[in-house]
Amino acid sequence: MKVLVTVKEVAAVEDDFEIDGLSIDDRYLEYDLNEWDDYAVEAAVQIAEAADEDVEVVAATIGPERSEETIRMALAKGADRAVRVWDDAIADQTLLDVNAKASVFEQVVAEEEPDLVLTGVQAADDALGATGVALANRVGYQWAAVVNDLDYAAGDDVATVRRELEGGVEEITEVDLPAVLSIQTGINEPRYASLRGIRQAQQKEIAPHDLSDLGLDAETVDGALELTDMYEPESESDATIFEGGAEETATELANVLRDKGVVGE
Amino acid sequence: MSDVLFVAEHRRGDLRDVSYEGITAGRELADALGGDLHVAVISGSVEAFAESLNTPAVDAIHTVEAGEEFDHDTYAAATEALHAELDPAALLLPNSVNGLDYAPAVADSLGLPYASDAVDVAYDDGLTVTREMYGSKVETTVDVAGDQFVVSIRSGEWPAASGAGEASLEAFEFDADSVDDGARVQGYEEVGSGDVDISEADFLVSIGRGIEEEENLDLIRDLCDATGATLSSSRPIVDNGWLPKNRQVGQSGKQVTPDVYLAIGISGAVQHVAGMKGAETIIAINTDPNAPIFDIADYGIVGDLFDVVPALIEEFE
Ligand SMILES: Cc1cc2nc3c(=O)[nH]c(=O)nc-3n(C[C@H](O)[C@H](O)[C@H](O)COP(=O)(O)OP(=O)(O)OC[C@H]3O[C@@H](n4cnc5c(N)ncnc54)[C@H](O)[C@@H]3O)c2cc1C
């Protein structure tokens, strides 16, 4: 069987940063594998490791050449190979919308024909939280969003999942395959890449595709959403900030706690 | 085509707060568009729900009988059928965990643009959605092209609608049996009970990813011992297995309302804040002066927890 994992390189923003037009100045960004995708990769690799049959884990990403370094981390952790889609038309978008992402991955799914697709619940940067479910709908797979427990053995026709609802309630659901599951953090313990894994990853394939390779044109990704402004949110803070060194500020804070009557003397 | 359709949300017999907030958001948008606000409620005791949702802001309520609880195929199919019938400009859905499970499918089936997790919406010859990126570090505005669109709204951003209204009530004919059953809900389980109930505590010391290593938690335990506080945490600490689930504060953890909530090394992500904004006094210790947690804090220290916490422990020894 085959498991496709969608992965994304996302940037974390340093404490102090500057906005340059419609994006954060690159100097303040640190790129890494999206946190949620790390758990999705682990879930896929665990299925492959536990299987009697051959399970191929393919990572798919929409990202520029720079992202290969990050995608290689997924390979180092056990994915067998990767597909990377990028195009000038994608780079031109201020915000790649869900429709565009679903259209790209639809073609990847058509080519790879996976039995199971794992995505992260959301990407930490744009936080659209929609690619997996939109993709499932597009390709006619079943799906489940926000999965924090997965009971599935390679070759099974049904996966039993838990969806993490609000307020400490979990929904237990059976999902027929083929399916797309959006994976929540905490579902497993993502491994660190071993030195051997990192070495092996250098030999693994990251196949680049542009839109025309996938039979798509620029219009497909020219979505209806356009970013028009980015700014630091106006601070609504009216917090009293204690200034000074650790001792001074701790003393002030201790006084507040005593005032509130939550610590006795 | 200037109406707004909002789909309410309920679970195990209760309407969720976002249902009333969505009415407020929907009314604002309907007024800007010059149309009516339709509210749909799908599955469960739809008539009782309709009565609760019948607030002055609502023009029409559509009830759809279809099972008891949320299942995405039913919700998607019913919403698409309602959309075909009402042809609204805007379809508004909650950006809840269940919203995440059907809104993208509905938008995709309808072939409409989808803007998720809106914290504000405005319409002036076109839709503009305000949404956050990079874990609330920046806010963005997004223009949505076209005259029909799907928007999911973040909970807690609009005031809840209230009062008794005079909306028309209509039962919407929908054949629930014809819906795909490839995903079958088997049941629910409450998780996260255990030795302590953090929602009972008067004073919570809550620790986040700023603690860096599991060993460092001892420092926070010492602070709890010195002050008599109860220990809680943000999600990553629980995801890492460093604390049990019953210590997690937030959307998928516990909602807490202590007298004092001391957040240490916690950025203040929306899903965390959802669980603790009701605390009487919020105090934050964080190295990042721009961390969103300071927006809701009453007192703060911009500083390194590894310096401040030992000094604080000393104060009480
Ligand atoms: C569907 C869904 C449900 C979720 N449910 C929850 C939930 O219930 N609860 C929850 O908490 N999260 C939840 N999350 C996750 C949430 O989005 C955030 O990822 C999480 O809250 C971040 O936790 P954090 O603040 O501890 O970590 P981070 O966001 O990484 O913040 C760490 C903070 O520590 C500060 N820091 C670092 N070093 C130091 C130091 N030495 N001294 C002082 N400060 C320091 C940093 O400046 C930063 O602000 C959910 C997410 C999703 C998508």
Side-chain angles (χ1 to χ4, degrees):
Chain A
M1 79 171 283
K2 193 189 279 186
V3 184
L4 185 78
V5 191
T6 61
V7 293
K8 185 178 182 187
E9 181 187 72
V10 298
V13 186
E14 286 177 20
D15 288 358
D16 290 308
F17 62 94
E18 286 167 39
I19 291 169
D20 180 15
L22 293 175
S23 53
I24 294 174
D25 190 322
D26 212 40
R27 284 176 297 166
Y28 307 98
L29 298 178
E30 221 179 291
Y31 292 95
D32 205 345
L33 181 61
N34 181 40
E35 188 182 351
W36 281 265
D37 301 345
D38 200 16
Y39 289 87
V41 169
E42 179 64 33
V45 172
Q46 284 187 9
I47 291 170
E49 286 175 345
D52 299 325
E53 59 178 287
D54 212 21
V55 177
E56 189 181 28
V57 177
V58 180
T61 192
I62 302 174
E65 204 171 341
R66 184 203 58 225
S67 67
E68 289 201 358
E69 208 181 309
T70 297
I71 303 316
R72 230 170 258 294
M73 287 314 291
L75 298 175
K77 291 177 180 203
D80 296 298
R81 59 184 172 86
V83 175
R84 180 177 69 82
V85 182
W86 196 243
D87 199 288
D88 288 344
I90 297 176
D92 284 347
Q93 298 301 312
T94 54
L95 180 66
L96 196 65
D97 76 359
V98 179
N99 180 48
K101 289 175 188 169
S103 300
V104 168
F105 285 130
E106 178 184 11
Q107 297 310 317
V108 175
V109 167
E111 201 165 296
E112 298 286 345
E113 299 183 339
D115 306 282
L116 186 64
V117 180
L118 303 182
T119 73
V121 166
Q122 62 174 26
D125 51 5
D126 61 24
L128 289 166
T131 303
V133 172
L135 173 65
N137 190 72
R138 189 68 70 82
V139 299
Y141 283 22
Q142 255 302 338
W143 73 86
V146 194
V147 169
N148 74 341
D149 189 71
L150 170 58
D151 186 1
Y152 179 75
D156 290 356
D157 299 328
V158 181
T160 303
V161 305
R162 283 171 178 253
R163 296 183 52 238
E164 187 189 56
L165 306 180
E166 292 85 355
V169 178
E170 294 180 350
E171 178 202 281
I172 301 146
T173 297
E174 287 179 3
V175 185
D176 291 346
L177 262 60
V180 180
L181 307 178
S182 87
I183 300 295
Q184 174 65 312
T185 57
I187 187 173
N188 52 36
E189 265 181 68
R191 69 195 65 193
Y192 291 97
S194 65
L195 277 175
R196 185 160 157 269
I198 292 170
R199 226 177 308 118
Q200 285 175 342
Q202 299 306 321
Q203 313 305 322
K204 292 180 180 174
E205 178 191 30
I206 302 181
H209 288 304
D210 62 16
L211 290 177
S212 66
D213 293 336
L214 296 174
L216 299 172
D217 55 25
E219 227 165 275
T220 325
V221 296
D222 191 13
L225 266 52
E226 195 181 324
L227 205 61
T228 50
D229 199 7
M230 179 181 287
Y231 47 93
E232 288 192 58
E234 191 98 5
S235 173
E236 292 150 25
S237 176
D238 49 8
T240 306
I241 304 290
F242 300 128
E243 310 276 350
E247 274 78 29
E248 289 162 75
T249 54
T251 304
E252 303 226 46
L253 182 48
N255 288 336
V256 172
L257 296 177
R258 288 188 193 102
D259 266 5
K260 301 286 168 194
V262 288
V263 271
E265 209 37 26
Chain B
M1 206 168 49
S2 51
D3 292 350
V4 176
L5 169 62
F6 171 67
V7 182
E9 177 162 316
H10 58 87
R11 187 191 303 155
R12 300 160 99 192
D14 291 317
L15 284 164
R16 303 193 66 241
D17 292 347
V18 71
S19 298
Y20 298 99
E21 296 159 12
I23 289 174
T24 305
R27 181 74 260 163
E28 279 176 26
L29 195 52
D31 287 344
L33 284 155
D36 287 344
L37 172 61
H38 297 259
V39 173
V41 57
I42 303 168
S43 77
S45 335
V46 288
E47 264 147 46
F49 291 147
E51 207 168 303
S52 306
L53 295 167
N54 195 344
T55 50
V58 183
D59 296 301
I61 299 179
H62 306 266
T63 56
V64 184
E65 294 213 25
E68 282 307 309
E69 295 287 343
F70 174 84
D71 101 72
H72 61 231
D73 289 308
T74 303
Y75 264 61
T79 304
E80 286 156 26
L82 275 158
H83 195 277
E85 164 114 351
L86 299 169
D87 202 25
L91 172 61
L92 230 52
L93 303 171
N95 194 62
S96 56
V97 173
N98 283 342
L100 293 175
D101 203 37
Y102 83 108
V106 170
D108 188 61
S109 289
L110 296 173
L112 294 179
Y114 176 49
S116 64
D117 203 19
V119 298
D120 201 6
V121 289
Y123 189 90
D124 184 11
D125 268 346
L127 180 74
T128 302
V129 171
T130 306
R131 57 192 311 282
E132 296 180 342
M133 281 177 62
Y134 298 103
S136 306
K137 284 230 168 182
V138 299
E139 214 163 81
T140 64
T141 53
V142 176
D143 280 357
V144 182
D147 48 14
Q148 280 188 306
F149 30 79
V150 182
V151 177
S152 74
I153 60 161
R154 179 178 288 185
S155 62
E157 293 294 326
W158 281 268
S162 60
E166 288 165 16
S168 64
L169 293 181
E170 286 156 52
F172 183 72
E173 288 301 323
F174 175 73
D175 180 12
D177 294 333
S178 66
V179 170
D180 186 307
D181 70 343
R184 299 165 296 277
V185 178
Q186 306 294 303
Y188 301 88
E189 194 182 335
E190 309 252 358
V191 293
S193 55
D195 52 334
V196 276
D197 185 355
I198 56 171
S199 59
E200 296 287 316
D202 297 330
F203 179 21
L204 283 174
V205 166
S206 209
I207 185 67
R209 187 141 49 188
I211 196 70
E212 287 172 11
E213 306 278 342
E214 185 171 13
E215 298 85 81
N216 298 338
L217 273 181
D218 282 342
L219 178 65
I220 308 302
R221 290 203 177 88
D222 289 347
L223 177 62
C224 289
D225 287 345
T227 57
T230 303
L231 179 63
S232 60
S233 79
S234 66
R235 174 172 192 122
I237 306 300
V238 173
D239 282 346
N240 290 345
W242 298 350
L243 285 176
K245 179 90 186 172
N246 61 353
R247 302 280 178 161
Q248 183 182 318
V249 173
Q251 173 190 303
S252 46
K254 287 246 158 62
Q255 275 206 330
V256 297
T257 51
D259 295 338
V260 174
Y261 188 86
L262 174 54
I264 306 177
I266 291 178
S267 63
V270 48
Q271 296 93 349
H272 185 79
V273 169
M276 46 65 78
K277 62 180 174 214
E280 196 143 318
T281 301
I282 296 168
I283 308 173
I285 302 175
N286 198 304
T287 40
D288 178 4
N290 298 316
I293 190 79
F294 287 118
D295 287 345
I296 56 159
D298 302 290
Y299 300 93
I301 296 177
V302 179
D304 190 325
L305 74 91
F306 296 105
D307 299 329
V308 177
V309 173
L312 192 57
I313 292 170
E314 214 145 275
E315 288 284 330
F316 295 103
E317 272 177 347

